[in-house]
Amino acid sequence: MAVKYREYSNLIFLDDKHRCKVREPNHPVAAVERGKSVIVTKGTTFAVADHDFTKCGFISSVIMQAEIPKSINESFYRGNIYVGLKDPIFELSSAARHAAKLYEIVDRTNKPYLFLYTDSGPDHQVKFIKTQLALISLFLALDLDYLVAVRTPPGHS
């Protein structure tokens, strides 16, 4: 349907990617299992923090506004990419946060159809009322005529 009505449609792929650990100054971090051997310079003490207990980090949130092809046989992986960095403690991923970011991107296009593909995370679970409310709010705020929200199977985002 997005291909058939491409001039009226936005096709969006949305996913939060890997959580990245950030070390503190002069305090290295390593992902080494306890009890395993590590190669270091002779006479050097291997003193690092455990990677599971870092104080800082960030999560990259990626949105792709696809350039809808003229044919279903062409690639859908072209378009504009938006990457945001979020603090995992103070900026939790939520359906409302994603809807607000999508509003900024989709509002500029003034197209009445929105096709949204997301991963299977809890912030995209369409069975949850908070996700449904965020999508309804987005539908109303953008004055859309048609909204499709598809959640892909785990590991296929």
Side-chain angles (χ1 to χ4, degrees), residues 6-148:
R6 63 191 294 272
E7 64 272 5
Y8 306 109
S9 302
N10 277 300
L11 176 61
I12 304 286
F13 300 102
L14 171 69
D15 192 11
D16 283 346
K17 293 301 180 185
H18 183 71
R19 179 182 174 154
C20 300
K21 312 284 182 157
V22 177
R23 72 177 185 94
E24 296 175 54
N26 301 318
H27 196 74
V29 175
V32 178
E33 292 183 41
R34 288 174 180 76
K36 296 288 183 179
S37 298
V38 177
I39 298 174
V40 294
T41 308
K42 186 175 181 178
T44 304
T45 302
F46 186 64
V48 297
D50 187 336
H51 76 286
D52 288 331
F53 299 101
T54 58
K55 293 180 183 177
C56 302
F58 66 87
I59 296 174
S60 58
S61 184
V62 181
I63 298 172
M64 179 180 157
Q65 184 179 23
E67 198 175 289
I68 303 171
K70 293 179 181 176
S71 166
I72 192 81
N73 298 325
E74 296 177 40
S75 175
F76 284 82
Y77 295 105
R78 289 193 185 108
N80 297 320
I81 304 290
Y82 302 90
V83 178
L85 301 177
K86 296 185 289 195
D87 182 307
I89 304 299
F90 298 109
E91 298 177 312
L92 297 175
S93 288
S94 69
R97 182 179 294 279
H98 292 305
K101 190 62 184 171
L102 282 173
Y103 177 82
E104 291 176 16
I105 294 168
V106 176
D107 187 44
R108 293 181 236 147
T109 65
N110 204 22
K111 293 182 178 181
Y113 300 161
L114 175 60
F115 298 90
L116 178 63
Y117 280 77
T118 61
D119 67 350
S120 59
D123 49 338
H124 304 294
Q125 177 57 269
V126 292
K127 290 192 256 180
F128 293 163
I129 192 72
K130 61 184 178 182
T131 305
Q132 293 171 6
L133 290 172
L135 290 171
I136 290 168
S137 298
L138 186 64
F139 181 85
L140 294 172
L142 291 170
D143 193 28
L144 296 174
D145 293 336
Y146 194 70
L147 170 65
V148 176

